[in-house]
Amino acid sequence: MRTSGEDIAVSRKAPDTPQTRSAAYRLAFADDEFMTSEDTRGVRFQLEYLKPEFRLREHGINSTVVLFGGARIPEPGKPAWAAKNETQRRNLEAASRYYDEARKFAQLASQTAASLDFKEFVVTTGGGPGVMEAGNRGAADMGAPSIGLNIVLPHEQAPNLYVTPDLSFNFHYFATRKIHFLMRAKAVAVFPGGFGTLDEFFESLTLIQTGRMERIPMLLFGKDFWTRVINLEALAEAGTISPEDPDLFTLVDTAKEGWDVVRQFYNLPQMGEPVWRGG
């Protein structure tokens, strides 16, 4: 059978006539105007699901460790590029400690992934800067692959340079991106962040709470930050969530503390400390 690629090449060599210049004559799958129309949205959803799915299967990746967190948190010693005032600058630079903890947490995950031929516990982030960069960087420190799930935003955001190129994806739909964040996740680590981080945390928590997703370790890094930002105990007291729902996640401060939760949950072997390449 001829391939679709071959037929695209042949169709482009057709004689230039009013008929061949018409949009109606274009092969449907090679017609950008048709493929990006409102009527084919469902097809695009399917394609955005399938493309990463096929690539991850090709690499034999069965499970992941997902890191969520703020894009605006700088690497220690670097300026807080996103700060809009002095207070934000001071707080973001103080939060740079979470960059190091995310990097080290990804190292610990990647150390376990290496023992499993990089098929399990593969680090996955949103592919951008800040905490996301730290996660992909920690995997790279260990010579491990890592996944980046970028999304097209109004302000250009290139993938950070630590994402494995063959596992660097780009999405149009938040919905399909979220599917790929969670469908293989064996642990979710949530670092301080903004609206996007809160959205990702609460969506993950809701899926577990409602039984749509198996219970996995949900880690909130930064006890001081999260106890100021959210108060789920107040929701429990108000009766809008169950009294045991706050137990669906664990507050931690360090990479080791967080990975110990994951290790004990899955009965993983204790490993030696990875070489920390800070700086």
Side-chain angles (χ1 to χ4, degrees):
M1 295 288 289
R2 291 174 59 84
T3 68
S4 55
E6 288 172 334
D7 274 359
I8 290 173
V10 169
S11 68
R12 288 174 178 167
K13 296 177 183 177
D16 184 20
T17 68
Q19 290 76 24
T20 61
R21 285 196 297 270
S22 170
Y25 183 76
R26 298 174 197 149
L27 289 166
F29 50 81
D31 184 345
D32 288 345
E33 185 178 353
F34 173 69
M35 287 299 296
T36 57
S37 68
E38 185 173 343
D39 291 330
T40 56
R41 180 176 290 130
V43 175
R44 294 195 301 278
F45 262 88
Q46 185 177 13
L47 292 174
E48 268 205 352
Y49 167 76
L50 288 174
K51 182 179 178 181
E53 178 66 11
F54 288 164
R55 182 61 63 95
L56 294 172
R57 287 183 189 176
E58 287 172 2
H59 283 260
I61 295 172
N62 299 317
S63 69
T64 59
V65 172
V66 177
L67 280 73
F68 293 133
R72 306 181 187 201
I73 292 177
E75 178 184 355
K78 298 289 181 67
W81 57 270
K84 303 300 183 184
N85 54 52
E86 180 58 26
T87 299
Q88 287 196 345
R89 183 197 65 77
R90 184 172 61 252
N91 287 332
L92 283 170
E93 290 181 0
S96 66
R97 67 185 182 276
Y98 296 116
Y99 184 106
D100 273 352
E101 292 303 329
R103 184 176 176 184
K104 189 166 186 180
F105 182 78
Q107 287 183 336
L108 291 165
S110 297
Q111 186 180 42
T112 294
S115 71
L116 298 168
D117 197 27
F118 301 120
K119 307 300 183 187
E120 310 286 346
F121 298 100
V122 176
V123 167
T124 300
T125 80
V131 166
M132 295 174 279
E133 176 186 285
N136 296 117
R137 188 174 181 178
D141 289 338
M142 305 301 291
S146 69
I147 300 165
L149 305 179
N150 278 81
I151 190 162
V152 178
L153 299 174
H155 301 289
E156 182 179 355
Q157 177 184 302
N160 70 68
L161 296 179
Y162 300 100
V163 179
T164 300
D166 282 351
L167 300 173
S168 181
F169 303 102
N170 202 15
F171 290 83
H172 171 68
Y173 296 108
F174 272 99
T176 46
R177 181 177 183 245
K178 287 177 177 178
I179 288 171
H180 281 293
F181 267 130
L182 296 179
M183 66 184 295
R184 286 177 169 82
K186 279 198 168 179
V188 172
V190 185
F191 292 80
F195 289 154
T197 302
L198 288 166
D199 173 59
E200 290 156 345
F201 168 60
F202 280 114
E203 183 144 28
S204 305
L205 201 59
T206 300
L207 289 171
I208 293 173
Q209 181 210 42
T210 56
R212 303 298 297 179
M213 176 177 168
E214 290 184 10
R215 185 165 183 177
I216 61 173
M218 288 283 299
L219 308 172
L220 284 186
F221 275 82
K223 296 176 186 177
D224 290 343
F225 177 86
W226 290 111
T227 52
R228 288 177 57 208
V229 171
I230 57 175
N231 186 353
L232 296 191
E233 295 294 343
L235 292 180
E237 290 175 8
T240 54
I241 63 173
S242 296
E244 65 272 13
D245 282 345
D247 297 332
L248 295 175
F249 63 89
T250 305
L251 286 162
V252 298
D253 280 319
T254 68
K256 184 180 184 306
E257 187 181 0
W259 188 250
D260 279 346
V261 173
V262 178
R263 185 177 58 78
Q264 291 164 17
F265 187 91
Y266 292 108
N267 196 27
L268 298 170
Q270 178 78 53
M271 294 188 176
E273 280 289 304
V275 177
W276 169 230
R277 305 176 188 178

